Amino acid sequence: MGLIRRIVATGRAAQKAPKRPEPLPPARRLKRSLQIRHVDAGSCNGCEIELGQAFSPVYDAERYGARLVASPRHADAITVTGPVTVNMAEALRTTYEAMPEPRLVIGIGDCARNCGAFAGAHAVLGPVDDVVPVDLHVPGCPPEPDTIVAALRGLTGR
Amino acid sequence: MTVLVALGQAVLLAVLAPHVLGITRAVRARLEGRAGHRLGQPWRDLRKLLRRSPTSPTDASLFFVAAPPVLMATSLLVAAAAPFVATTSLAGEADLIVVVGLLLLGTVALALAGLDTGTAFGGMGASREMTIAALVEPTLLLSVFALSVRVGSTDLATIVTAGATDPASVFTPASALAAAALAIATLAECGRVPVDNPSTHLELTMVHEAMVLEYSGRDLALVEWASALRLTILLGLLANLFAPWGVATQLTPAALAIGTAAFVAKVGGLAAILAAGEVFAAKLRLFRVPELLAGSFALALLAVLAAAVLG
Amino acid sequence: MNVVAASLAAAGGCAVAGAVSAVLVGRSVRAALVGLLTALSGAAAVVAGAAAANGAAWSLTAPYLLPLTGIELAVDPLSGWFLLLVGAVTAVTGVYTIGYAGRQGEGPGSRPSLFLLPLFAASLMLVPVAASVPTLLVGWELMAVTSLLLVVTEHRHAPAVRDAGVWYAALTQLGFVALLVGLLWLAAAAGGTSFAAIRAGAADVDAVTASVVFLLGLVGFAGKAGAVPLHPWLPRAHAESPSHVSALMSAAMVKLGVYGLLRLGFDLLGGGARWWWLVLAAVGAVSALYGITQAAVARDIKRMLAFSTSKNVGLILLGVGFAGMYAQAGNPTAAALALGAALLHAANHSAFKALLFAGAGSVVRATGTRDMDRLGGLVRAMPATTALFAGGALAAAALPPGNGFVSEWLLLQSLLHPGPDAGAMLTIAAPIAVAVVAATAGIGVATYVKAVGTGFLARPRSDRAATARESPPSMVVAMVLAALACVALAMVPGLTVPALSRITSDLRLADPGETFAASTFALRVEAATLWPLWTVVGIVAGTAAVAVTARALGRARRRAPAWDCGGGPLTERMEYTATSFAEPLQRIFDNVLAPEQDVDVTHVDESRYHVTAIRFHQRIPDRVENRLWQPLVTALRSLGERARPLASGSVHRYLGYMLVALLAVLVVGVLP
């Protein structure tokens, strides 16, 4: 009974959908359905927290057609966070190759774009572009959930 | 004519299945305070997946490739034959033992595909799925058998017609026990909470998902579609066996229209109740699931005994 | 000329010719010749059996062929059915032996082994056509001796083979003694040793004698059939013997145990009391449950198939038991249905078990191991064997479109209507029987998924499996023949129904019009119909349609290494083994199975906190054997030890024993 009371009291936690961003070229092919597999290639987990928030009840990216899946075989796109460390390079490449074509790579955060605060570290191989071709960058350290959701909406077209 | 009705039923269920999935996800989202996706989202996912290229592991054989068509074909056969909209569809083929056997054949095909990938998760999913199936199949068989004892036939159409023409016969102790047992068996067969979490990403908690981690493209579309179809089938059986009002007993257009509307409404309602139940329940750890299934087996056995003794 | 007589003569002649040629011919053609002759003998028996099952009659009395009693043979529909089964399995085994026994002349291809094979087949054909107690007992013992010698063919290989031989010999002889006592007692009470005389005198046999005879017959016949608790010989003998012998034993010999029970219970004793059949049904239920539970956790492929035989025999005995109970309760329709289901299941089981053992034999021959934990990847090296074994597994798992599904459907239908006069016992027993059938079906499916999935698919788990090669063509042809039988029984089982109804009316269970109806394409019971052909066609056509449509609308398939979660290439150590696959089931049935686990830790000398090696050993024992037979064996052994002083070596004492024994026999024989 306590749970029912909590559900009624909370009501709808999702925020009102912001203005729809411009659809990007892949949106025509994806047609409002985007399955995403997340790969942490060596991040500090700040971007993971924001990405998690993007799929939380408040921002709720699922309503725009994006969904996280458990295997790259099921995915249309991978979201990559962090500078690619030496140990994760091969894993990232394998994950990318496991995706069926046509496939996308979304780099989340400044580290994915140019190694951010970790540039030049001994364990870092380079930005994501050095390992797999990136189709979309989401800037920020970490990017806000709104920015991530806007990027995903650009791909789904909703 | 009956062939047309059967084909129409199969098409109806195939089209309805992703929407049933959509209903469960939408209800769950609303209860969790999210906005959730639209009802048609699973359809969009399927459409997109059907056009992507499938991948087979290099070690896999024909079992991996054949499993999605087998799963889909057996589900469509059940959808065509069993009494959902009308009871006169292909009567004689809708034997409950055959229906349970066909559903089990689909599960077996998928389990073999999971083992064929040669991955640890595929084997794990297959092992867990077959253990659960070994315990669920007797319950499914027994709970519907309990209804057939009273009617005197294992033909599903006869059972549903008997319930539709004599509504009071649905409210018996045997019926109640059988309904409870069948409800738990449905949860287990379709991989819903508390037996399995269909949206988990943690492989060690997966049962059904683990077997399909290797599928992509149209293979994955067929597997997901067939899973949704099986959920619709089992919810439809639950609805029509224990609340058979509205089912068409003749093949007139009016009766068929009412039958379709009633079926869609009942399945939609049950899907919403299922989703609401999932919000309140947590997934059981794997070695507690046999206790749950043994409990449902006991209920089903009691249902059969009650039907046999009480008449 | 009588078809039955001619084909039986041909069968016997081919068997004798096979035995003779095994002795005379050189090793390069020995296997082929003996195999061919055995196959011809089996084919002739099939013709004889089919003719007899369709009503042809024949009998033969040869009073001087055997001292004191003579030989009496006769066929009726019941013996025709079992003759048909035995003949078909013999034919398949004969073809299989051509390739399996090889050209080296050792093991299964050695002279003694190939000499005994046709004789074993002949004894299997003698038992159903026996029409007197002595003939039956002679055939029975001949069967036991030949099969025992065949089981220990490879006794130089491993001590396990000798152990299997000892258990098999002991339990077979125990059953034989029970049969000997029971049947001779019956013959004495009824006033004649021929079956006709016993049938005529059955009214003179009092109820107590009849019950004791039935129970002794149960020990003998159900023990031969492999029912729990008389089963310990079954997994041992079937696992250790060469595969063609396993096929013959499992698919043919155990059916003769069922035949004996039907002949004794229904024909000779005329139906008897209801509680007999309840006991039989209970034995069947326990066998089914215990057998499939042990099969589910077995890692030896032939041990798994042997326990699966136990399970299927359990289901057959369950059907027979219910047929008897229904007949006593005055419900001939249900009795006919139950008996028909049991007989059809016997036929289906013969077909798919022969196929499965042939497949297992191919695998063992190619890889050298029976351990499913070490197999795998055979689908690429041995595609024909894999496909045929998978077909057999589908049938054994009682899934549509297999043939096991049809007989299970009939069995469940028979349990649906106990009838108005059923009484409390039947009304409670029927639902419990349904639960047993359903439970065993579920676990059976898991067992066969394990067998096919871990034994044949994915990557090989050992070097032996990696170097496997496909079997010689004759072995594949034998499996194809068995598979064709399975397919025929799956698609048109209605063709067997006239024979089944003839058997049922012959045994006085029901009139011919009261059995279930069947056309070629449908099986019709009281209120339900099964369309086996449409089921098979629907599944196959549906799958093809979905596959073709999906391919036409989509893109081409690509091949890639399996997704390894980024952790590097997958090795065969990462695959699930048969033991790990069955582990959840083993945990669930922990109380029944009681696995023995042994953990052996070797510590570093300097510190007990560090470990050099850990050894884990798990064994799943046969609990019934440990609880029931081991104490018995220990007690007998200690009794033997304590009786040692009796054999003192003094001739006077031995003469004294003989005098006492003779006096006792005279006193007992003279007293009324």
Side-chain angles (χ1 to χ4, degrees), chain B residues 51 53-60 63 73 92 95 105 108 115-116 118 120 124 127 130 137 152-154 214 218-219 304, chain C residues 380 400 409 413 417 431 442 445 457-459 527 529 542-543 550-551 555-560 562-563 574-576 581:
Chain B
R51 283 196 305 268
S53 69
T55 316
S56 297
T58 42
D59 294 320
F63 287 89
D95 193 86
L105 181 64
V108 164
L115 282 166
D116 202 15
M124 184 190 82
S127 163
M130 289 318 300
E137 196 220 355
S153 163
T154 53
E214 201 56 39
R218 67 167 180 274
D219 290 339
V304 179
Chain C
R380 273 175 296 282
W409 187 85
Q413 291 297 332
H417 296 290
V445 173
L457 301 183
R459 283 184 302 283
T529 313
T543 308
R551 175 66 187 91
R555 292 158 90 142
R557 183 175 295 277
R558 71 172 181 134
R559 285 248 167 206
W563 167 237
M574 296 176 187
E575 292 178 291
Y576 254 54
F581 188 94

Side-chain angles (χ1 to χ4, degrees), chain C residues 210-591:
Chain C
S211 300
V212 172
V213 166
F214 184 78
L215 287 174
L216 286 170
L218 190 67
V219 170
F221 290 125
K224 178 63 76 179
V228 173
L230 296 153
H231 71 283
W233 64 272
L234 194 81
R236 284 191 171 83
H238 287 196
E240 304 298 340
S241 62
S243 299
H244 62 308
V245 176
S246 306
L248 214 47
M249 288 204 299
S250 196
M253 195 176 72
V254 301
K255 303 299 175 314
L256 294 179
V258 177
Y259 165 77
L261 280 166
L262 288 172
R263 179 67 70 192
L264 181 66
F266 285 127
D267 193 19
L268 296 179
L269 291 173
R274 207 186 288 199
W275 66 266
W276 294 3
W277 305 106
L278 184 66
V279 168
L280 186 62
V283 165
V286 170
S287 296
L289 285 171
Y290 188 73
I292 203 60
T293 312
Q294 281 285 356
V297 297
R299 69 186 264 195
D300 176 333
I301 196 169
K302 288 175 71 171
R303 187 180 159 92
M304 180 200 84
L305 291 175
F307 271 116
S308 168
T309 299
S310 211
K311 170 235 181 182
N312 283 294
V313 161
L315 289 180
I316 296 171
L317 292 180
L318 188 68
V320 170
F322 269 87
M325 282 198 277
Y326 283 138
Q328 294 303 314
N331 189 347
T333 335
L337 189 53
L339 186 64
L343 290 171
L344 189 60
H345 196 69
N348 286 335
H349 179 250
S350 293
F352 64 67
K353 205 33 81 74
L355 175 57
L356 286 171
F357 265 111
S362 295
V363 168
V364 173
R365 188 180 175 278
T367 60
T369 176
R370 297 196 309 255
D371 188 358
M372 285 190 281
D373 285 351
R374 299 275 171 271
L375 294 174
L378 298 174
V379 63
R380 273 175 296 282
M382 307 172 70
T385 308
T386 307
L388 290 163
F389 190 93
L394 180 73
L399 285 172
N403 53 341
F405 177 72
V406 176
S407 46
E408 191 182 282
W409 187 85
L410 282 174
L411 188 61
L412 285 170
Q413 291 297 332
S414 74
L415 295 168
L416 183 56
H417 296 290
D421 307 317
M425 185 171 74
L426 256 183
T427 317
I428 305 277
I432 295 179
V434 173
V436 167
V437 174
T440 58
I443 304 174
V445 173
T447 309
Y448 282 100
V449 169
K450 177 188 79 168
V452 175
T454 59
F456 292 86
L457 301 183
R459 283 184 302 283
R461 290 175 182 78
S462 67
D463 292 328
R464 296 157 127 189
T467 53
R469 280 213 315 262
E470 185 62 90
S471 320
S474 59
M475 289 165 74
V476 176
V477 166
M479 296 206 292
V480 168
L481 286 174
L484 285 174
C486 288
V487 168
L489 284 166
M491 302 218 315
V492 284
L495 293 175
T496 60
V497 173
L500 293 175
S501 55
R502 208 168 282 122
I503 297 173
T504 316
S505 66
D506 211 54
L507 290 174
R508 297 183 301 280
L509 279 173
D511 295 328
E514 283 170 315
T515 55
F516 57 101
S519 62
T520 319
F521 301 113
L523 290 175
R524 239 174 284 270
V525 299
E526 220 167 274
T529 313
L530 181 71
W531 301 82
L533 186 64
W534 289 127
T535 313
V536 173
V537 168
I539 294 173
V540 173
T543 308
V546 170
V548 166
T549 318
R551 175 66 187 91
L553 298 175
R555 292 158 90 142
R557 183 175 295 277
R558 71 172 181 134
R559 285 248 167 206
W563 167 237
D564 56 17
C565 304
L570 294 171
T571 66
E572 61 275 355
R573 286 301 312 266
M574 296 176 187
E575 292 178 291
Y576 254 54
T577 60
T579 311
S580 46
F581 188 94
E583 201 250 350
L585 277 171
Q586 178 215 300
R587 275 218 208 183
I588 294 172
F589 296 112
D590 210 19
N591 292 332

